[in-house]
């Protein structure tokens, strides 16, 4: 994407990409072929020949090829070869000038033209040709026609006399000397001679001709220009660096505009100009300088020319003894690049060649300019490696590419005097070491962008769930690093456009990563000890603040990536790493350290070898190499250590052995096999550097150990020596072997580069080294992870890499001032670098320790807030994952908390950890139904307590669930802590867990009691939270916590308050009691909390719950009227059915409690009404959430059952169901029995309580009535007694030992309730008695009644009065005698019967009438209507009669009759 | 003594106000005193409260007079011996009686009743089967309560030929009953009973009457009537309730029926309209569909039960009327006596 925004004109990248696209088209290049060809010719042509011979041989070769191509009609090949031929011919211009155009050349041209014309005519054949060929044909035809015009005379002569021409060759050559100018003239002549038409035809040729003419017109004075132009022509055939492929494509592609081609030519000319070097420049300055200069120039060319055939024959590198200078190298480079993009070009070989070239350039100290140029090309080649745009780079290519870019950047950083730009023309390049700065065409930015794209491509094409992906991802660190370096480079040198582009790249690598560090910082949890680190700005801020601390960026980005690491098994590693803590704290020399490092690697490699883990081997080997490079200075001093050589030899042997073992190879997994081949190649390459040593070792393995010291002496500075050796070898060995050696190029080159950089560049390289070291080592926190890499394999390489970078930063920080200075004076002196190295050494000492002990933090790791937070996040990552040991996780968190506390990291982080511990505890049970284990529960309570302690102690901690992670402030600072989390939620969850525990404990076990004891703690926590939130929380939170508090209060009877209210609290009470009763009355608390909720709550549910609890509480404490009023005010009865089940359960509980309260208060009717709904359903148990009823499975599946089980109310909150039923039945009895007595003869007697009647019927069905056993039987027996007015029996049935223990003793004020009950029984018995037996009395003395029912006379009086008033009793009171005089107006049973019958008959008649009506409706005739009318007329009479009867009845029987219709209760 | 009077009273009070033609083969029933005594004895020994005792009557048809000369009871079978074979028992019983040279011809059956609530479906069914098999069969209803009050209540009933027809066709719908013009009045026909004793017994009775005390004779003058009346009313009320229910049922039925009729009518109208339209368009008329399939008439409630209930109610009413009229007489007599004293 960045391409589209990048406004730069980096033609390079464009070209290369376009080359990519076009490359596949390039038909039948024979570059490779020619290489092979030359291989063959290698041995034959070792004779020194004249330049002419060489040239001519070259030409004949091309001609031969063309003739062959002609024979097989391969036009594209033909075209290609022809172009080369033309180029070669131009090259041999001086010779041709001297010798004349060779006859064979003319012959070919003529033949070719004829051949082409012939082909062109052959329409049939053309049709058969494939597209490429046809295209090539037409191109070639045009070209040759154009070209041949230059040789018209020769060709004409040849055509005239084909046989002769061969003989005349010599003469013609003589004639044709200086042919070009002549021919130009000829052209002019021809131009004048030919007709206008032909001229027109000629027009297209104009440009080139014109230019040629111009050239010649300029004359010798303008030699330089003309030679420039010539160069152009050469370039036409030859090529510039990048445009090589295109220019060759021009003819084929046809899509290229001539202008571009022309431009390129000019560019090419520039390059050659540059190649010509100082002389050329001079030449340019004095344009129109003398011929001598031009001759000299030509001579210079000759020299180079001399090399060319060698290149051809031994095309690998330069001939021995060739003076290697910049132009030579550039030429070679161009040659190599010519092949670029051509089909059949071995791109790998090309890359190798370029590498070799780089090495050569470096060896010969040709200056950084040329090196940079070569590097550019190497990288471009690497990008070209894959012809397909979709294909992605191979891993090794990718690595190479990264290395290359790194090196390039190194060079650029080291040498401020290199100017790079894509707008630098080829001819204005300055590659030669001089006072002037180097100027190189190219664009690093484009390369880096391309690299970034390649990285994306690689990532896209890797299976994201494979280890490979992770490994690849590890490279992101390097990519980022490169981008950063480029960024810092461009910030100094680049244009704003470029800076923008590179910034975008940086952004692209930053934006999607969460900056944990910054987040943590922002939360203020970072301790003061970490201030230094903490103050580093985040990566993104960099773009706004132009500070140059790239370290912080890197470190932060490292942080960001860490959490991504999937499926870490750090627990394992944690356990692993415990032991090795205390080892290796000795101060040792640098050498020792280095060597120990090396030996460590070697050990690992040997182990890997033993288990045949090739990939590990490879990895370790790479690390080893790097380590070895790092220890270069030491090695230089001390020589290559023997153990190193031994390992190399062994490893090679081992690998070869493995390689031979085909069977074993097959069995290997893919990764290993790949690693094996890679490693084998690597080691072969690598071992070449140590050939002598290895040979020596192999000869004398035993001895070698002894000789170690000597060898070391010998090998001091071995690397440079060996490099030299290489050169020698390169010269000595045959070309073939040289070829083989080529692949070593990169490493050698880099080595060479490094050494070339010399001491001046030490610091930079050491920087790099640092990074490399980190590769193996590790940073503080990441210790655990990095050790996981090997085990878990799931860790991304990128992370590790990043971490290394981060580590580097950290060490950098530690290094402090020194480092900073160093940064300022990049490329500073060696001394600094050394110091740096030392600093690193120290850290190294610690690093392996980290590896070995990743448990928490490495010993000596500075523990600060970000580190802890990081660790915390790591631990939490595993949360919820399958296979995570939750217990261990909790332990880890605890340990972390301890560490945090020990290090005084401040309360912020502690709070955060505590939060997570508690959350983990809750998570412990994966199943929602399962409940916490006792120990977990205790831990949880402790934790919450501690958390609250902290919160209370530190008022400056802000907690909230709405605090974003990145706005947390965990660091001790002036600002208050800010922690994400919600204590309230935790406490609520705790409360739920408590409920769950209680639900799942057998209520009749001691365990239950034990668990119940925790309720105090739970309440305590809630209270504490309440007081905390009252200060800090929002009203919503307060409401929630209030509800929790209410939930724990409402169902408890406040004995203290009860006692106080009764005034029973004597002074004699013990102090403890006093103390106990100090607290606020629960009623007051309830009142306060509930009222707050009523006022503030906005969620309906909380308010509903609060109201219900409030009512319950009132009812429980016998505040009947308050409870009732609240219930009526809430209107909950209307809409409770819409509430969720738990609330409905609460409602049911409340209603039941209300009913019981009413009963205690003697409001029998209210009690009955309140309880009716619950009791009539027969599902009281279920409705109150106190147990599940056994029901068939269709109604409730297992899932539902689980849900219902979760709703159950814990046992200690249960309402006694027997009490409930008893209260209900007794209420029903007290209502129903008098009612039954009063309406004995009513036809349609309403039942007040079905339940009660059911019980009565059950009682009646008993064949034999024994003394009552159950509560129900007691009630039934009592009812029967009451029916007879026998209150004493009734009383004895209702209130006795059994019933007391079963029911009545459960009331708080047992005695009062019993008294009330007795009184009620007496009253109702009296009423029943009067109803039942009034017919047998004329009058009855109230005194007698009062005696009978043991009621005071006024009570009896009032009851009877009420009955009389209610017209239940037909009697009057005779005041003087205190007697009740019966009016005897009750109808006899017969009369009652008759009345009933009459009523029934009435309805019968009505029904009959209805039938009659119906009939009339259908058959409504006149007659019928009349009849009906008559019938209806009769009706009034009847009604009158009835009315009269009723009236008559009313006189003496008002009550009885009317009561029938009256709803008594 | 009482028996003679009873016999006369029984014979003199033909209860069924049968407007029927009595074209049945039996015009009179002559019962041996032995049979009466046996029935009474049977009830007293086994019947209790509302329990019903049953037995088989044996006798012979002489001209249009059915002479019942003997009987034997059905044993009170309980749940325990469910496999008790009544037919077998009857056959054996009759065979045995024939062996001792007693009339062994099956001429009907007897049953005790409680306040005259004998008219039931069970009685109807069994009487139908008797009458169907043995043309002259009668059912003898013995009312022990009335008998205990001093007047022997023994009545013989036969199903009217109309009812027999209906029962044969099992057509208890309103239409069927209407067609047969069967009302509760003419379901049963009562056959007059004559109790015949041998002369020797008559002589003995005369003798015994002379020796009887006055107190024995004043049983008839018992004024306490409420108990009997109450019971009757109670039963009457129950039946009225039943009847009421039946009427409601019938009511809903007829409403449904009329509703359906309306729907049917509408449907037909619509169909007709459509047909005329189609005709005008020249299309063939819609095929006739079976309307009865479309509109299934609601199940008519069987009217037999209603009829029976009506019959019972009728009985009750007769009982009450009889009882009250007698009591009124007694009361007036008592008043007169009081006033005279």
């Amino acid at each position: 994407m960045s391409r589209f925004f990048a406004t730069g004109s980096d033609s390079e990248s464009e070209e290369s990409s376009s080359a990519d696209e076009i490359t596949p088209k390039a038909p039948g290049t024979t570059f490779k072929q020619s290489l092979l060809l030359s291989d063959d010719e290698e041995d034959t042509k070792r004779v020194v020949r004249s330049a002419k011979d060489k040239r001519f041989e070259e030409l004949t070769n091309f001609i031969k090829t063309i003739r062959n191509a002609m024979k097989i009609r391969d036009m594209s090949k033909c075209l290609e070869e022809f172009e080369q031929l033309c180029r070669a011919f131009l090259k041999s211009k001086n010779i041709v000038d001297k010798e004349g155009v060779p006859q064979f050349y003319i012959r070919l041209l003529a033949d070719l033209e004829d051949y082409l014309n012939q082909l062109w005519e052959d329409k049939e054949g053309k049709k058969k040709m494939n597209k490429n060929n046809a295209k090539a044909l037409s191109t070639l035809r045009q070209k040759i026609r154009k070209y041949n015009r230059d040789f018209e005379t020769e060709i004409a002569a040849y055509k005239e006399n084909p046989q002769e021409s061969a003989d005349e060759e010599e003469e013609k050559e003589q004639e044709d000397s200086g042919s070009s100018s002549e021919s130009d003239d000829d052209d002019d002549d021809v131009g004048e001679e030919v007709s206008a038409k032909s001229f027109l035809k000629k027009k297209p040729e104009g440009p080139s001709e014109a230019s040629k003419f111009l050239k010649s017109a300029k004359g010798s004075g303008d030699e330089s220009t003309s030679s420039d132009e010539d160069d152009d022509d050469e370039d036409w055939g030859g090529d510039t660096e990048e445009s090589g492929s295109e220019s060759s494509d021009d003819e084929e592609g046809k899509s290229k505009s001539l202008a571009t081609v022309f431009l390129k030519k000019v560019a090419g000319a520039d390059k050659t100009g540059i190649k010509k070097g100082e002389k050329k420049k001079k030449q340019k300055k004095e344009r129109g300088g003398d011929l001598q200069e031009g001759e000299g120039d030509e001579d210079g060319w000759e020299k180079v020319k001399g090399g060319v055939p060698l290149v051809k024959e031994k095309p690998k590198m330069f001939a021995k003894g060739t003076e290697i200078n910049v132009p030579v190298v550039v030429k070679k480079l161009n040659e190599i690049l010519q092949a670029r993009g051509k089909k059949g070009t071995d791109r790998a070989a090309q890359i190798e060649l370029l590498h070799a070239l780089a090495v050569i350039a470096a060896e010969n100290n040709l200056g950084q300019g040329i090196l940079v140029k070569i590097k550019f090309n190497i990288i471009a080649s690497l990008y070209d490696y894959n012809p397909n745009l979709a294909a992605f780079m191979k891993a090794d290519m990718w690595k190479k590419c990264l290395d290359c870019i790194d090196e390039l950047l190194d060079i650029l950083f080291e040498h401020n005097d290199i100017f790079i730009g894509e707008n630098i023309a080829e001819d204005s390049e300055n590659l030669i070491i001089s006072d002037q700065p180097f100027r190189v065409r190219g664009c690093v930015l484009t390369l880096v962008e391309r690299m970034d794209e390649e990285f994306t491509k690689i990532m896209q094409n890797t299976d994201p769930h494979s280890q490979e992906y992770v490994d690849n991802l590890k490279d992101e660190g390097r990519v980022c690093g490169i981008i950063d370096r480029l960024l810092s480079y461009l910030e100094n040198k680049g244009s704003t456009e470029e800076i923008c582009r590179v910034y975008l790249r940086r952004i692209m690598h930053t934006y999607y990563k969460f900056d944990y560090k910054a987040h943590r910082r922002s939360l203020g949890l970072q301790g003061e000890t970490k201030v230094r680190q903490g103050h580093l700005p985040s990566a993104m801020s960099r773009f706004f603040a132009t500070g140059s601390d790239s370290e912080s960026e890197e470190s932060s980005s490292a942080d960001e990536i860490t959490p991504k690491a999937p499926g870490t098994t750090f627990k394992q590693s944690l356990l692993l790493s415990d032991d090795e803590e205390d080892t290796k704290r000795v101060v040792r020399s640098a050498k020792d350290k280095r060597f120990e490092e090396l030996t460590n690697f070697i050990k690992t490699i040997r182990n890997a070898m033993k288990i045949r883990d090739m990939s590990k081997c490879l990895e370790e080997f790479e690390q080893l190499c790097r380590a070895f490079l790092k220890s270069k200075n030491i090695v230089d001093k001390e020589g290559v250590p023997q153990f190193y050589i031994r390992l190399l030899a062994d490893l090679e042997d081992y690998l070869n052995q493995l390689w031979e073992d085909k069977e074993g190879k097959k069995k290997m997994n893919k990764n290993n096999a790949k690693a094996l081949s890679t490693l084998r190649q690597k080691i072969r390459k690598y071992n070449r550097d140590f050939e002598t040593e290895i040979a020596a070792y192999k000869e004398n393995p035993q001895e070698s150990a002894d000789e170690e010291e000597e060898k070391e002496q010998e090998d001091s500075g071995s690397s440079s020596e060996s490099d030299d050796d290489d050169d020698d070898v390169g010269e000595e060995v045959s070309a073939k072997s040289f070829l083989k050696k080529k692949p070593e190029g990169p490493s050698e080159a880099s080595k060479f580069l490094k050494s070339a950089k010399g001491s001046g560049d030490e610091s930079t390289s050491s920087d790099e080294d640092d990074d490399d070291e980190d590769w193996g080592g590790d940073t503080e926190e990441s210790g655990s992870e990095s050790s996981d890499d090997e085990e878990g394999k799931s860790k991304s390489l990128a992370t590790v890499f990043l971490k290394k970078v981060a580590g580097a930063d950290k060490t950098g920080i530690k290094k402090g001032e020194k480092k900073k200075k160093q940064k300022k004076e990049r490329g500073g002196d060696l001394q600094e670098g050394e110091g740096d190295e030392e600093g690193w050494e120290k850290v190294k000492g610690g690093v392996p320790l980290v590896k070995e002990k990743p448990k928490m933090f490495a010993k000596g790791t500075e523990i600060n807030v970000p580190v802890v937070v990081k660790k915390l996040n790591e631990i939490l990552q595993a949360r919820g994952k399958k296979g995570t040991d939750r217990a261990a996780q909790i332990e880890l968190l605890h340990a972390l908390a301890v560490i945090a506390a020990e290090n005084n990291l401040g309360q912020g982080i502690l709070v955060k950890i505590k939060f997570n511990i508690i959350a983990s505890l809750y998570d412990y049970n994966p199943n929602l139904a399962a409940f916490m284990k006792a120990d977990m529960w205790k831990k949880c309570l402790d934790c919450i307590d501690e958390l609250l302690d902290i919160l209370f102690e530190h008022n400056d901690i802000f907690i909230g669930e709405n605090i974003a992670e990145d706005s947390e402030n965990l660091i001790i600072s002036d600002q208050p802590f800010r922690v994400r989390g919600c204590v309230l939620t935790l406490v609520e969850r705790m409360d739920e867990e408590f409920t769950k525990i209680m639900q799942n404990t057998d209520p009749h076990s001691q365990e239950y009691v034990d668990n119940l004891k925790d309720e105090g703690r739970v309440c305590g926590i809630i209270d504490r939270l309440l007081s905390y939130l009252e200060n800090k929380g929002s009203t919503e939170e307060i409401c929630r916590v209030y509800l929790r508090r209410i939930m724990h209060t409402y169902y408890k009877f406040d004995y203290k308050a009860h006692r106080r209210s009764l005034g029973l609290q004597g002074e004699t009470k013990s102090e403890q009691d006093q103390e106990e009763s100090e607290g606020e009355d629960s009623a007051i608390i309830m009142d306060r909390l509930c009222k707050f909720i009523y006022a503030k709550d906005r969620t309906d549910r909380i308010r509903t719950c609060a109201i219900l609890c409030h009512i319950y509480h009132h009812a429980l404490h016998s505040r009947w009227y308050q409870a009732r009023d609240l219930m009526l005010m809430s209107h909950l009865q209307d809409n409770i059915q819409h509430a969720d089940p738990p609330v409905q359960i609460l409602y049911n509980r409340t209603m039941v409690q209300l009913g019981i309260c009413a009963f205690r208060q003697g409001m029998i009717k209210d009690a009955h009404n309140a309880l009716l709904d619950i009791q009539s359903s027969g599902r009281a148990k279920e409705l109150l959430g106190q147990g599940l009823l056994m029901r068939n499975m269709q109604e409730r599946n297992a899932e539902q059952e689980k849900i219902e089980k979760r709703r159950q109310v814990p046992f200690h909150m249960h309402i006694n169901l027997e009490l409930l039923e008893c209260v209900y039945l007794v209420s029903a009895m007290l209502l129903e029995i008098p009612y039954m007595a009063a309406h004995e003869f009513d036809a349609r007697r309403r039942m007040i309580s079905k339940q009660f009647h059911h019980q009565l019927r059950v009682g009646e069905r008993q064949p034999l009535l024994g003394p009552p056993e159950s509560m129900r039987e007691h009630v039934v027996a009592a009812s029967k007694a009451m029916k007879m007015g026998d209150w004493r029996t009734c009383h004895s049935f209702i209130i006795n030992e059994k019933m007391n223990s079963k029911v009545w003793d459960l009331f708080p004020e047992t005695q009062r309730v019993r008294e009330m009950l007795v009184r009620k029984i007496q009253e109702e018995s009296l009423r029943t008695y009067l109803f039942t037996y009034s017919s047998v009395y004329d009058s009855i003395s109230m005194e007698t009644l009062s005696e009978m029912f043991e009621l005071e006379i006024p009570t009896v009086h009032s009851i009877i009065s009420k009955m009389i008033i209610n017209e239940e009793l037909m009697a009057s009171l005779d005041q003087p005698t205190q007697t009740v005089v019966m009016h005897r107006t009750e109808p006899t049973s017969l009369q009652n019967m008759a009345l009933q019958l009459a009523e029934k008959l009435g309805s019968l008649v009505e029904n009959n009438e209805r039938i009659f009506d119906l009939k009339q409706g259908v058959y409504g005739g006149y007659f019928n209507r009349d009849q009906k009318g008559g019938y209806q007329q009769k009706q009034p009479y009847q009604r009158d009669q009835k009315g009269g009867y009723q009236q008559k009845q009313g006189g003496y029987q008002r009550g009885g009759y009317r009561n029938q219709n009256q709803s008594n209760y | 003594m009482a028996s003679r009077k009873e016999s006369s009273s029984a014979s003199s009070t033909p209860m069924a106000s049968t407007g029927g033609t009595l074209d049945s083969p039996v015009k009179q029933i002559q019962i041996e005193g032995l049979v009466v005594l046996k029935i009474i004895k049977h009830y007293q020994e086994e019947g209790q409260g509302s329990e019903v005792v049953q037995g088989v009557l044996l006798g012979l048809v002489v001209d249009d007079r059915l002479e019942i000369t003997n009987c034997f009871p059905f044993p009170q079978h309980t749940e325990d011996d469910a496999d008790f074979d009544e037919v077998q028992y009857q056959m054996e019983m009759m065979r045995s009686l024939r062996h001792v040279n007693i009339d062994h011809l099956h001429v009907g059956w007897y049953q005790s009743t409680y306040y005259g609530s004998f008219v039931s479906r069970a009685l109807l069914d069994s009487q139908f089967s008797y009458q169907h098999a043995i043309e002259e069969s009668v059912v003898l209803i013995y009312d022990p309560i009335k008998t205990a009050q001093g007047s022997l209540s023994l009545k013989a009933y036969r199903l009217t030929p109309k009812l027999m027809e209906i029962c044969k066709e099992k057509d208890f719908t309103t239409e069927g009953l209407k067609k047969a013009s069967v009302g509760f009045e003419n379901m049963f026909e009562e056959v007059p009973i004559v109790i015949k004793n041998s002369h020797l017994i008559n002589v003995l009775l005369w003798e015994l009457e002379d020796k009887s005390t006055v107190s024995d004779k004043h049983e008839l003058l018992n004024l306490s009537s409420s108990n009997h009346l109450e019971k009757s009313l109670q039963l009457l009320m129950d039946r009225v309730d039943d009847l009421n229910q039946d009427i409601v049922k019938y009511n809903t039925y007829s409403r449904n029926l009329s509703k359906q009729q309306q729907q049917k009518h509408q449907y037909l109208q619509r169909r007709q309209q459509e047909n005329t339209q189609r005709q005008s368009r020249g299309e063939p008329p819609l095929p006739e569909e079976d309307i009865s399939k479309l509109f299934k008439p609601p199940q008519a409630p069987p009217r037999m039960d209603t009829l029976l209930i009506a019959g019972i109610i009728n009985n009750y009413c007769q009982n009450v009327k009889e009882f009250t009229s007698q009591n009124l007489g007694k009361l007036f007599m008592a008043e007169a006596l009081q006033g005279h004293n």
Side-chain angles (χ1 to χ4, degrees), chain A residues 1394-1408:
Chain A
L1395 286 170
Q1396 282 175 32
L1397 182 62
E1399 208 174 299
K1400 275 181 209 280
L1401 287 172
S1403 68
L1404 183 66
V1405 168
E1406 258 173 61
N1407 281 330
N1408 249 333

Side-chain angles (χ1 to χ4, degrees), chain B residues 19 36 55 81 120 182 194 228 255 270 290 332:
Chain B
V36 178
D81 39 17
S120 68
V182 174
V194 176
H228 189 241
R255 212 177 306 139
R270 235 181 300 135
D290 195 2
F332 279 119

Side-chain angles (χ1 to χ4, degrees), chain A residues 1389 1393 1400 1403-1404 1407 1414, chain B residues 230 234 237 241 244 247 254:
Chain A
S1389 65
M1393 275 302 195
K1400 275 181 209 280
S1403 68
L1404 183 66
N1407 281 330
L1414 211 66
Chain B
E230 267 175 40
Q234 189 77 56
M237 272 187 335
D241 274 347
N244 220 347
I247 284 170
S254 45

Side-chain angles (χ1 to χ4, degrees), chain A residues 1093-1138:
Chain A
I1093 289 175
Y1094 301 155
K1096 304 276 181 177
D1097 178 61
R1098 257 172 275 122
T1099 66
D1100 225 26
R1101 194 178 183 277
I1102 290 179
R1103 193 172 48 231
T1104 308
C1105 287
I1107 289 176
L1108 288 173
C1109 291
H1110 203 184
I1111 295 167
Y1112 190 103
H1113 193 259
H1114 277 316
L1116 192 65
H1117 295 85
S1118 301
R1119 291 187 290 273
W1120 157 248
Y1121 290 105
Q1122 284 105 307
R1124 188 197 59 184
D1125 293 348
L1126 206 52
M1127 179 57 95
L1128 292 176
M1129 278 194 295
S1130 69
H1131 290 289
L1132 278 173
Q1133 295 102 313
D1134 305 334
N1135 49 20
I1136 195 68
Q1137 63 269 21
H1138 304 306

Side-chain angles (χ1 to χ4, degrees), chain B residues 81-274:
Chain B
D81 39 17
D83 54 347
F84 177 76
D85 193 348
E86 279 187 20
V87 181
Q88 184 75 22
Y89 168 77
Q90 279 183 34
M91 297 310 289
E92 266 179 39
M93 205 57 191
M94 286 193 281
R95 208 177 301 128
S96 310
L97 287 171
R98 196 170 63 182
H99 285 315
V100 289
N101 210 13
I102 291 172
D103 276 345
H104 60 271
L105 288 178
H106 209 163
V107 294
W109 57 295
Y110 70 87
Q111 191 199 331
S112 71
T113 183
Y114 181 68
Y115 288 109
S117 60
F118 59 89
V119 184
S120 68
R121 193 62 188 258
L123 181 120
L124 180 74
D125 287 348
S126 53
Q127 180 54 29
F128 169 72
S129 59
Y130 266 110
Q131 221 166 308
H132 194 62
I134 307 152
E135 231 249 296
E136 60 273 15
S137 296
V138 292
V139 58
L140 212 56
I141 302 295
Y142 164 67
D143 192 341
I145 291 159
K146 254 197 217 165
T147 310
Q149 278 173 351
S151 52
L152 177 68
S153 166
L154 205 60
K155 279 162 194 171
Y157 291 103
R158 280 173 60 80
L159 297 180
T160 55
K162 283 176 189 167
L163 196 63
M164 280 298 289
E165 285 295 310
I166 291 167
C167 283
K168 246 181 240 168
E169 285 157 27
K170 303 242 179 261
D171 178 21
F172 299 130
T173 58
T174 323
E175 300 301 312
L177 292 178
K178 213 172 158 188
K179 210 170 78 188
S181 65
V182 174
F184 65 90
E185 306 94 342
N186 46 16
M187 282 167 71
F188 295 96
E189 56 180 358
E190 194 179 344
V191 187
I193 297 172
V194 176
I195 298 174
K196 188 190 169 246
N197 286 325
S198 66
H199 298 298
L200 276 173
I201 290 173
N202 282 336
V203 170
L204 177 65
L205 286 172
W206 277 109
E207 260 181 52
L208 284 174
E209 196 177 5
D210 284 343
K211 286 176 186 169
S212 63
T213 54
V214 181
S215 62
D216 292 334
K217 289 174 192 169
H218 290 289
E219 237 173 76
L220 274 172
L221 299 176
N222 188 1
L223 284 174
S224 77
S225 57
S226 62
N227 197 24
H228 189 241
L229 268 179
E230 267 175 40
K231 272 282 181 248
S232 293
L233 276 178
Q234 189 77 56
L235 289 165
L236 186 60
M237 272 187 335
D238 289 350
R239 293 291 85 76
V240 167
D241 274 347
D242 290 346
L243 193 63
N244 220 347
Q245 275 179 13
D246 267 6
I247 284 170
V248 169
K249 246 187 247 169
Y250 187 74
N251 214 344
T252 43
Y253 157 72
S254 45
R255 212 177 306 139
N256 285 343
L257 194 67
S258 71
K259 217 184 280 172
Q260 210 183 42
Q261 289 286 354
Q262 227 167 344
Q263 281 176 346
K264 212 191 271 184
H265 190 64
Q266 278 177 355
Y267 175 80
L268 283 173
Q269 263 188 336
R270 235 181 300 135
R271 175 54 64 90
Q272 213 172 0
Q273 244 174 352
E274 214 170 307

